[in-house]
Structures are given as structure tokens and as C-alpha cells.
Amino acid sequence: MRLILTALIMIIGIFDCMLGIGFLILPMETARSFGLAAAHNGGLSTMRADMTAFFLVAGITMIWGAWKRSGTVLLVPAALFLIALFGRLVSLFADGPYDGFLMPMVIEAITVAIVLMAARMLPHRLPQGG
């Protein structure tokens, strides 16, 4: 089970890194798949900075935590996706549902569950050296 969870986290981490790079290099195209659009260069800059940061930090820490078998490192992406899920819940109650609102929430909830299960199974220590 630990091997399967580690492999899943590695795959999700690679996918998240690809999303982060997509937001850095092609923010408008990547943003469309998220239902986002920039009104001007400030919005484009925010998407390029914040979405890249979110997905690269999540992806890199998933890959690093899986590679080094460190449950402690996996708490970072778990927190990121849990906060994102919480934000979606707040938006659901404050703004109401929209077409397709459930899919991102399901993906975030599954990601949190997988990462937390793996974090619980793996040792809680910071990785040492190369």
C-alpha cells in the first residue's frame, strides 16, 4: 500500500509541476482550463506568479516527500490543497454553485486524502542530504 501511495503522489506531483510550468509559460491557455481569464497585465502577472507558485510548491514537495519517503514534507501539499478546498467551500456558500463546481473540489479532496494517508504511513522526519 505504501508503494502504491508513493507512486500516486509522485504522479500527482509531476502533474502539478506541469500545471505550474504551464501557468508560468502559457498562463492564458492554462488558465482557461480553470475557468480563469486575466482582465489586464496585472491579472496575467498574478496568475503567472500565484498559480505557478501553488502548483510548483505542491508538486515539488509531493515529489520530494515521495522520493525521500518523508511524511513531514508531504504535510506541505496537504495543507495547500486543504486550504484550496476550504476556499472552494467558502465560495460555494458565499457565491453559490456554478457549472462544474464539484469536480475541482473532488480532485482537491482526493489529493488531500492520498497525501495525508501517505504522510501517515511514511516516517516523520526531514530528508537528510542528497
Side-chain angles (χ1 to χ4, degrees), residues 23-104:
F23 272 106
L24 183 64
I25 296 171
L26 300 166
M28 293 298 283
E29 292 79 1
T30 308
R32 270 190 221 108
S33 66
F34 283 77
L36 299 173
H40 50 74
N41 285 348
L44 190 60
S45 174
T46 299
M47 279 194 300
R48 185 172 268 138
D50 296 349
M51 297 298 279
T52 298
F54 179 89
F55 284 109
L56 281 180
V57 168
I60 289 168
T61 53
M62 280 188 220
I63 292 167
W64 187 30
W67 184 262
K68 293 294 188 173
R69 309 292 192 268
S70 173
T72 302
V73 173
L74 293 176
L75 295 176
V76 173
L80 284 170
F81 278 94
L82 192 59
I83 292 167
L85 179 60
F86 177 73
R88 289 194 191 275
L89 284 171
V90 169
S91 186
L92 178 63
F93 289 109
D95 309 321
Y98 58 90
D99 287 341
F101 80 94
L102 196 55
M103 184 55 70

Coordinates of all heavy atoms in Angstrom, one line a residue, residues 23-104:
F23 N 1.3 27.5 -16.2 CA 0.9 28.8 -15.8 C 2.1 29.8 -15.9 O 1.9 31.0 -16.2 CB 0.4 28.8 -14.3 CG -1.0 28.5 -14.2 CD1 -1.4 27.3 -13.7 CD2 -2.0 29.5 -14.5 CE1 -2.8 27.0 -13.6 CE2 -3.3 29.2 -14.4 CZ -3.7 28.0 -13.9
L24 N 3.3 29.3 -15.8 CA 4.5 30.2 -16.0 C 4.7 30.6 -17.4 O 4.9 31.7 -17.8 CB 5.7 29.6 -15.4 CG 7.0 30.4 -15.5 CD1 6.9 31.6 -14.6 CD2 8.2 29.5 -15.0
I25 N 4.6 29.6 -18.3 CA 4.9 29.8 -19.7 C 3.7 30.2 -20.6 O 3.9 31.1 -21.4 CB 5.6 28.5 -20.3 CG1 6.9 28.2 -19.6 CG2 5.8 28.6 -21.8 CD1 7.5 26.9 -19.9
L26 N 2.6 29.5 -20.4 CA 1.4 29.8 -21.1 C 0.2 30.1 -20.2 O -0.7 29.3 -20.1 CB 1.1 28.6 -22.0 CG 2.1 28.2 -23.1 CD1 1.8 26.8 -23.6 CD2 2.2 29.2 -24.2
P27 N 0.3 31.2 -19.5 CA -0.8 31.4 -18.4 C -2.2 31.5 -19.0 O -3.1 31.0 -18.4 CB -0.3 32.7 -17.8 CG 0.6 33.4 -18.7 CD 1.2 32.3 -19.5
M28 N -2.4 32.2 -20.1 CA -3.8 32.3 -20.6 C -4.4 31.0 -21.0 O -5.5 30.7 -20.7 CB -3.8 33.3 -21.8 CG -3.4 34.7 -21.5 SD -4.5 35.5 -20.3 CE -5.9 35.9 -21.4
E29 N -3.6 30.2 -21.7 CA -4.1 28.9 -22.2 C -4.3 27.9 -21.0 O -5.4 27.3 -20.9 CB -3.1 28.2 -23.1 CG -3.0 28.9 -24.5 CD -2.1 30.2 -24.4 OE1 -1.5 30.5 -23.4 OE2 -1.9 30.8 -25.5
T30 N -3.4 27.9 -20.0 CA -3.6 27.1 -18.8 C -4.8 27.6 -18.0 O -5.5 26.8 -17.5 CB -2.3 27.0 -18.0 OG1 -1.2 26.7 -18.9 CG2 -2.4 26.0 -16.9
A31 N -4.9 28.9 -17.9 CA -6.0 29.4 -17.1 C -7.3 29.1 -17.6 O -8.3 28.9 -16.8 CB -5.8 31.0 -17.0
R32 N -7.5 29.0 -18.9 CA -8.8 28.7 -19.5 C -9.3 27.4 -19.0 O -10.5 27.2 -18.7 CB -8.7 28.7 -21.0 CG -9.0 30.0 -21.6 CD -9.1 29.9 -23.1 NE -8.4 31.1 -23.6 CZ -7.3 31.1 -24.3 NH1 -6.7 30.0 -24.6 NH2 -6.7 32.2 -24.7
S33 N -8.4 26.4 -18.8 CA -8.9 25.1 -18.3 C -9.4 25.2 -16.8 O -10.0 24.3 -16.3 CB -7.8 24.0 -18.4 OG -6.7 24.4 -17.6
F34 N -9.1 26.3 -16.1 CA -9.5 26.5 -14.8 C -10.7 27.5 -14.7 O -11.1 27.9 -13.6 CB -8.3 27.0 -13.9 CG -7.4 26.0 -13.5 CD1 -6.4 25.5 -14.4 CD2 -7.4 25.5 -12.2 CE1 -5.5 24.5 -14.0 CE2 -6.5 24.5 -11.9 CZ -5.5 24.0 -12.8
G35 N -11.1 28.0 -15.9 CA -12.2 28.9 -15.9 C -11.7 30.3 -15.5 O -12.5 31.2 -15.1
L36 N -10.4 30.6 -15.7 CA -9.9 31.9 -15.3 C -9.6 32.7 -16.6 O -9.3 32.2 -17.6 CB -8.6 31.7 -14.6 CG -8.6 31.0 -13.2 CD1 -7.2 30.8 -12.7 CD2 -9.5 31.8 -12.2
A37 N -9.6 34.0 -16.4 CA -9.2 34.9 -17.5 C -8.6 36.2 -16.9 O -9.1 36.6 -15.8 CB -10.3 35.3 -18.4
A38 N -7.6 36.7 -17.5 CA -7.0 38.0 -17.0 C -7.6 39.2 -17.6 O -7.7 39.2 -18.8 CB -5.5 37.9 -17.2
A39 N -8.0 40.2 -16.8 CA -8.6 41.4 -17.4 C -7.5 42.3 -17.9 O -7.8 43.1 -18.8 CB -9.4 42.1 -16.3
H40 N -6.3 42.2 -17.4 CA -5.2 43.1 -17.9 C -3.9 42.4 -17.5 O -3.9 41.3 -16.9 CB -5.3 44.5 -17.4 CG -5.6 44.6 -15.9 ND1 -4.6 44.4 -15.0 CD2 -6.7 44.9 -15.2 CE1 -5.1 44.5 -13.7 NE2 -6.4 44.8 -13.9
N41 N -2.8 43.1 -17.7 CA -1.5 42.5 -17.4 C -1.3 42.2 -15.9 O -0.6 41.3 -15.5 CB -0.4 43.4 -17.9 CG -0.2 43.4 -19.4 OD1 -0.8 42.5 -20.0 ND2 0.5 44.3 -20.0
G42 N -1.9 43.0 -15.0 CA -1.9 42.7 -13.6 C -2.5 41.4 -13.3 O -1.9 40.6 -12.4
G43 N -3.6 41.0 -13.9 CA -4.2 39.7 -13.7 C -3.3 38.6 -14.2 O -3.2 37.6 -13.6
L44 N -2.8 38.9 -15.4 CA -1.9 37.9 -16.0 C -0.7 37.6 -15.1 O -0.3 36.5 -14.9 CB -1.5 38.4 -17.4 CG -0.7 37.4 -18.3 CD1 -1.6 36.2 -18.6 CD2 -0.4 38.1 -19.6
S45 N -0.1 38.7 -14.6 CA 1.0 38.6 -13.7 C 0.7 37.8 -12.4 O 1.4 37.0 -11.9 CB 1.5 40.0 -13.3 OG 2.6 39.9 -12.3
T46 N -0.5 38.1 -11.9 CA -1.0 37.4 -10.7 C -1.2 35.9 -11.0 O -0.7 35.0 -10.2 CB -2.3 38.0 -10.2 OG1 -2.0 39.3 -9.8 CG2 -2.8 37.2 -9.0
M47 N -1.8 35.6 -12.1 CA -1.9 34.1 -12.5 C -0.6 33.5 -12.6 O -0.3 32.4 -12.1 CB -2.7 34.0 -13.8 CG -4.2 34.1 -13.6 SD -5.1 33.5 -15.0 CE -4.5 34.6 -16.3
R48 N 0.3 34.1 -13.3 CA 1.7 33.6 -13.6 C 2.4 33.4 -12.3 O 3.1 32.4 -12.1 CB 2.4 34.5 -14.5 CG 3.8 34.0 -14.9 CD 4.4 34.8 -16.0 NE 4.0 34.3 -17.3 CZ 3.7 35.1 -18.3 NH1 3.7 36.4 -18.2 NH2 3.4 34.5 -19.5
A49 N 2.3 34.3 -11.3 CA 3.0 34.2 -10.1 C 2.3 33.2 -9.1 O 3.0 32.3 -8.6 CB 3.1 35.6 -9.4
D50 N 1.1 33.5 -8.8 CA 0.4 32.7 -7.7 C 0.1 31.3 -8.1 O 0.3 30.4 -7.3 CB -0.8 33.5 -7.3 CG -0.5 34.8 -6.7 OD1 0.6 35.1 -6.4 OD2 -1.5 35.6 -6.5
M51 N -0.4 31.1 -9.3 CA -0.8 29.7 -9.7 C 0.5 28.9 -9.9 O 0.5 27.7 -9.6 CB -1.7 29.8 -11.0 CG -3.0 30.5 -10.7 SD -4.0 29.6 -9.5 CE -4.7 28.3 -10.5
T52 N 1.5 29.5 -10.5 CA 2.8 28.8 -10.7 C 3.3 28.4 -9.3 O 3.7 27.3 -9.1 CB 3.8 29.7 -11.4 OG1 3.3 30.0 -12.7 CG2 5.1 29.0 -11.5
A53 N 3.3 29.4 -8.4 CA 3.8 29.1 -7.0 C 3.0 27.9 -6.4 O 3.6 27.0 -5.8 CB 3.7 30.3 -6.1
F54 N 1.7 28.0 -6.4 CA 0.9 27.0 -5.8 C 1.2 25.6 -6.3 O 1.5 24.7 -5.6 CB -0.6 27.3 -6.0 CG -1.5 26.3 -5.4 CD1 -2.0 26.4 -4.1 CD2 -2.0 25.2 -6.1 CE1 -2.8 25.4 -3.5 CE2 -2.8 24.2 -5.6 CZ -3.2 24.3 -4.3
F55 N 1.1 25.5 -7.6 CA 1.3 24.1 -8.2 C 2.7 23.6 -8.2 O 3.0 22.4 -8.0 CB 0.7 24.1 -9.7 CG -0.8 24.1 -9.7 CD1 -1.5 25.2 -10.1 CD2 -1.4 22.9 -9.3 CE1 -2.9 25.1 -10.1 CE2 -2.8 22.9 -9.2 CZ -3.5 24.0 -9.7
L56 N 3.7 24.5 -8.3 CA 5.1 24.1 -8.2 C 5.5 23.7 -6.8 O 6.1 22.7 -6.6 CB 6.1 25.1 -8.8 CG 6.2 25.2 -10.3 CD1 7.2 26.2 -10.7 CD2 6.6 23.8 -10.9
V57 N 5.1 24.5 -5.8 CA 5.4 24.1 -4.4 C 4.7 22.8 -4.1 O 5.3 21.9 -3.5 CB 5.0 25.2 -3.5 CG1 5.0 24.8 -2.0 CG2 5.9 26.4 -3.6
A58 N 3.4 22.7 -4.5 CA 2.7 21.4 -4.2 C 3.4 20.2 -4.9 O 3.6 19.2 -4.3 CB 1.2 21.5 -4.6
G59 N 3.7 20.4 -6.2 CA 4.2 19.3 -6.9 C 5.6 18.9 -6.5 O 6.0 17.8 -6.3
I60 N 6.5 19.9 -6.2 CA 7.9 19.6 -5.8 C 7.9 19.0 -4.4 O 8.6 18.0 -4.2 CB 8.7 20.9 -5.8 CG1 9.0 21.3 -7.3 CG2 10.0 20.8 -5.1 CD1 9.5 22.7 -7.4
T61 N 7.0 19.5 -3.5 CA 7.0 18.8 -2.2 C 6.4 17.4 -2.2 O 6.8 16.6 -1.5 CB 6.3 19.7 -1.1 OG1 5.0 20.0 -1.6 CG2 7.1 21.0 -0.9
M62 N 5.5 17.2 -3.1 CA 5.0 15.8 -3.3 C 6.1 14.9 -3.8 O 6.3 13.8 -3.3 CB 3.8 15.8 -4.2 CG 2.5 16.2 -3.6 SD 1.1 15.9 -4.7 CE 0.2 17.3 -4.4
I63 N 6.8 15.3 -4.9 CA 7.8 14.5 -5.5 C 8.9 14.3 -4.5 O 9.4 13.2 -4.3 CB 8.4 15.2 -6.8 CG1 7.3 15.2 -7.8 CG2 9.6 14.5 -7.2 CD1 7.6 16.1 -9.0
W64 N 9.4 15.4 -3.8 CA 10.4 15.3 -2.8 C 10.0 14.4 -1.6 O 10.8 13.5 -1.2 CB 10.8 16.7 -2.3 CG 12.0 16.7 -1.4 CD1 13.1 15.9 -1.4 CD2 12.2 17.7 -0.4 NE1 14.0 16.3 -0.5 CE2 13.5 17.4 0.2 CE3 11.5 18.8 0.1 CZ2 14.0 18.2 1.2 CZ3 12.0 19.5 1.1 CH2 13.3 19.2 1.7
G65 N 8.8 14.6 -1.1 CA 8.4 13.7 0.0 C 8.2 12.3 -0.4 O 8.6 11.4 0.4
A66 N 7.8 12.0 -1.6 CA 7.7 10.6 -2.0 C 9.0 10.0 -2.2 O 9.3 8.9 -1.8 CB 6.8 10.5 -3.3
W67 N 9.9 10.8 -2.9 CA 11.3 10.3 -3.2 C 12.1 10.0 -1.9 O 12.7 8.9 -1.8 CB 12.0 11.3 -4.1 CG 13.4 10.8 -4.5 CD1 14.5 11.1 -3.9 CD2 13.7 10.0 -5.6 NE1 15.6 10.5 -4.6 CE2 15.0 9.8 -5.6 CE3 12.9 9.3 -6.5 CZ2 15.7 9.0 -6.6 CZ3 13.5 8.5 -7.5 CH2 14.9 8.4 -7.5
K68 N 12.0 10.9 -1.0 CA 12.7 10.8 0.3 C 12.0 10.0 1.4 O 12.5 9.8 2.5 CB 13.1 12.1 0.8 CG 14.1 12.9 0.0 CD 15.4 12.2 0.0 CE 16.5 13.0 -0.7 NZ 17.8 12.4 -0.6
R69 N 10.7 9.6 1.0 CA 9.9 8.8 2.0 C 9.7 9.6 3.3 O 9.9 9.1 4.4 CB 10.5 7.5 2.3 CG 10.8 6.6 1.1 CD 9.6 6.1 0.4 NE 9.9 5.1 -0.6 CZ 10.2 5.3 -1.9 NH1 10.3 6.5 -2.3 NH2 10.4 4.3 -2.7
S70 N 9.3 10.9 3.1 CA 9.2 11.8 4.3 C 7.8 12.3 4.4 O 7.3 13.1 3.6 CB 10.1 13.0 4.1 OG 9.9 13.9 5.1
G71 N 7.1 11.8 5.5 CA 5.8 12.2 5.8 C 5.7 13.7 6.2 O 4.7 14.3 5.9
T72 N 6.7 14.2 6.8 CA 6.8 15.6 7.2 C 6.7 16.5 5.9 O 5.9 17.5 5.9 CB 8.0 15.9 8.0 OG1 8.1 15.0 9.1 CG2 8.1 17.3 8.4
V73 N 7.4 16.2 4.9 CA 7.4 17.1 3.7 C 6.0 17.0 3.0 O 5.5 18.0 2.5 CB 8.5 16.6 2.7 CG1 8.4 17.3 1.4 CG2 9.9 16.8 3.3
L74 N 5.3 15.9 3.1 CA 4.0 15.8 2.5 C 2.9 16.6 3.2 O 1.9 16.8 2.6 CB 3.6 14.3 2.4 CG 4.5 13.4 1.5 CD1 4.0 12.0 1.6 CD2 4.4 13.9 0.1
L75 N 3.2 17.1 4.4 CA 2.2 17.9 5.0 C 2.1 19.3 4.3 O 1.0 19.9 4.4 CB 2.6 18.1 6.5 CG 2.6 16.9 7.4 CD1 3.1 17.2 8.8 CD2 1.2 16.2 7.4
V76 N 3.1 19.7 3.6 CA 3.0 21.0 2.9 C 2.0 20.9 1.8 O 1.0 21.7 1.7 CB 4.4 21.4 2.3 CG1 4.3 22.6 1.4 CG2 5.4 21.7 3.5
P77 N 2.0 19.9 0.8 CA 1.0 19.9 -0.2 C -0.4 19.6 0.4 O -1.4 20.1 -0.2 CB 1.5 18.8 -1.2 CG 2.4 18.0 -0.4 CD 3.1 18.9 0.6
A78 N -0.4 18.8 1.4 CA -1.7 18.5 2.1 C -2.4 19.8 2.6 O -3.6 20.1 2.3 CB -1.6 17.5 3.2
A79 N -1.6 20.7 3.2 CA -2.1 22.0 3.7 C -2.5 22.9 2.5 O -3.6 23.5 2.6 CB -1.0 22.7 4.5
L80 N -1.7 22.9 1.4 CA -2.1 23.7 0.3 C -3.4 23.3 -0.3 O -4.3 24.2 -0.5 CB -1.0 23.6 -0.8 CG 0.3 24.4 -0.6 CD1 1.3 24.0 -1.6 CD2 0.0 25.9 -0.6
F81 N -3.6 22.0 -0.5 CA -4.8 21.6 -1.1 C -6.0 21.6 -0.2 O -7.2 21.8 -0.6 CB -4.7 20.2 -1.7 CG -4.0 20.2 -3.1 CD1 -2.7 20.1 -3.2 CD2 -4.8 20.4 -4.2 CE1 -2.1 20.1 -4.5 CE2 -4.2 20.5 -5.5 CZ -2.9 20.3 -5.6
L82 N -5.8 21.5 1.1 CA -6.8 21.6 2.1 C -7.3 23.0 2.2 O -8.5 23.3 2.2 CB -6.3 21.1 3.5 CG -7.4 20.9 4.5 CD1 -8.4 19.9 4.1 CD2 -6.8 20.4 5.8
I83 N -6.4 24.0 2.1 CA -6.8 25.4 2.1 C -7.6 25.7 0.8 O -8.5 26.5 0.9 CB -5.6 26.3 2.3 CG1 -5.0 26.1 3.8 CG2 -5.9 27.8 2.1 CD1 -3.7 26.7 4.0
A84 N -7.1 25.2 -0.3 CA -7.8 25.4 -1.6 C -9.2 24.9 -1.5 O -10.2 25.5 -1.9 CB -7.0 24.8 -2.7
L85 N -9.4 23.7 -0.9 CA -10.7 23.1 -0.8 C -11.6 23.9 0.2 O -12.8 24.1 -0.1 CB -10.6 21.6 -0.2 CG -11.9 20.9 0.0 CD1 -12.7 20.7 -1.3 CD2 -11.5 19.5 0.6
F86 N -11.0 24.4 1.2 CA -11.7 25.3 2.1 C -12.2 26.5 1.4 O -13.4 27.0 1.6 CB -10.9 25.6 3.4 CG -11.5 26.6 4.3 CD1 -12.6 26.2 5.1 CD2 -11.1 27.9 4.4 CE1 -13.2 27.0 6.0 CE2 -11.8 28.8 5.2 CZ -12.8 28.4 6.0
G87 N -11.3 27.1 0.6 CA -11.7 28.3 -0.2 C -12.9 28.0 -1.1 O -13.8 28.9 -1.3
R88 N -12.9 26.9 -1.7 CA -14.0 26.5 -2.6 C -15.3 26.3 -1.8 O -16.3 26.7 -2.3 CB -13.6 25.2 -3.4 CG -12.6 25.5 -4.4 CD -12.5 24.3 -5.4 NE -11.3 24.4 -6.2 CZ -11.3 25.1 -7.3 NH1 -12.3 25.7 -7.8 NH2 -10.1 25.1 -8.1
L89 N -15.2 25.7 -0.6 CA -16.4 25.6 0.2 C -16.9 27.0 0.6 O -18.2 27.2 0.6 CB -16.1 24.8 1.5 CG -15.9 23.3 1.2 CD1 -15.4 22.6 2.5 CD2 -17.3 22.7 0.8
V90 N -16.0 27.9 1.0 CA -16.5 29.2 1.3 C -17.2 29.9 0.1 O -18.2 30.5 0.3 CB -15.3 30.1 1.8 CG1 -15.7 31.6 1.9 CG2 -14.8 29.6 3.2
S91 N -16.6 29.7 -1.0 CA -17.1 30.3 -2.3 C -18.5 29.7 -2.6 O -19.4 30.3 -3.0 CB -16.2 30.1 -3.4 OG -16.6 30.8 -4.6
L92 N -18.6 28.4 -2.4 CA -19.9 27.7 -2.6 C -21.0 28.3 -1.8 O -22.1 28.5 -2.3 CB -19.7 26.2 -2.4 CG -21.0 25.3 -2.6 CD1 -21.4 25.3 -4.0 CD2 -20.7 23.9 -2.1
F93 N -20.7 28.5 -0.5 CA -21.7 29.1 0.4 C -21.9 30.6 0.1 O -23.0 31.1 0.2 CB -21.4 28.8 1.8 CG -21.6 27.3 2.2 CD1 -20.5 26.5 2.5 CD2 -22.8 26.8 2.2 CE1 -20.6 25.2 2.8 CE2 -23.0 25.4 2.6 CZ -21.9 24.6 2.8
A94 N -20.9 31.3 -0.2 CA -21.0 32.7 -0.3 C -21.5 33.1 -1.7 O -22.3 34.1 -1.8 CB -19.6 33.4 -0.1
D95 N -21.1 32.4 -2.8 CA -21.4 32.8 -4.1 C -22.4 31.8 -4.8 O -23.0 32.2 -5.8 CB -20.2 32.8 -5.0 CG -19.1 33.7 -4.3 OD1 -19.4 34.7 -3.7 OD2 -17.9 33.3 -4.4
G96 N -22.6 30.6 -4.3 CA -23.4 29.6 -4.9 C -22.7 28.8 -5.9 O -21.6 29.0 -6.2
P97 N -23.3 27.7 -6.3 CA -22.7 26.7 -7.2 C -22.6 27.3 -8.6 O -23.4 28.2 -9.0 CB -23.6 25.5 -7.1 CG -24.9 26.0 -6.7 CD -24.7 27.2 -5.9
Y98 N -21.8 26.7 -9.4 CA -21.7 27.0 -10.8 C -21.5 25.7 -11.6 O -21.2 24.7 -10.9 CB -20.5 28.0 -11.1 CG -19.1 27.4 -10.6 CD1 -18.4 26.7 -11.5 CD2 -18.7 27.7 -9.4 CE1 -17.1 26.2 -11.1 CE2 -17.5 27.1 -8.9 CZ -16.7 26.4 -9.8 OH -15.5 25.9 -9.4
D99 N -21.7 25.7 -12.9 CA -21.5 24.5 -13.7 C -20.1 23.9 -13.5 O -19.1 24.6 -13.7 CB -21.7 24.8 -15.1 CG -23.2 25.0 -15.5 OD1 -24.0 24.6 -14.7 OD2 -23.5 25.6 -16.5
G100 N -20.0 22.7 -13.0 CA -18.7 22.1 -12.9 C -18.0 22.4 -11.5 O -16.9 22.0 -11.4
F101 N -18.7 22.9 -10.6 CA -18.1 23.3 -9.3 C -17.6 22.1 -8.5 O -16.7 22.2 -7.7 CB -19.0 24.1 -8.4 CG -20.1 23.3 -7.7 CD1 -19.8 22.9 -6.4 CD2 -21.3 23.0 -8.3 CE1 -20.8 22.2 -5.7 CE2 -22.2 22.3 -7.6 CZ -22.0 21.8 -6.3
L102 N -18.2 21.0 -8.7 CA -17.9 19.8 -7.9 C -16.6 19.1 -8.2 O -15.9 18.7 -7.4 CB -19.1 18.8 -8.0 CG -19.1 17.7 -6.9 CD1 -19.1 18.2 -5.5 CD2 -20.3 16.8 -7.1
M103 N -16.2 19.1 -9.5 CA -15.0 18.4 -10.0 C -13.8 18.9 -9.3 O -13.0 18.1 -8.7 CB -14.9 18.4 -11.5 CG -13.7 17.6 -12.0 SD -13.7 15.9 -11.5 CE -15.0 15.2 -12.4
P104 N -13.5 20.2 -9.3 CA -12.2 20.6 -8.6 C -12.2 20.3 -7.1 O -11.2 20.0 -6.5 CB -12.2 22.1 -8.8 CG -13.2 22.5 -9.8 CD -14.2 21.3 -9.9

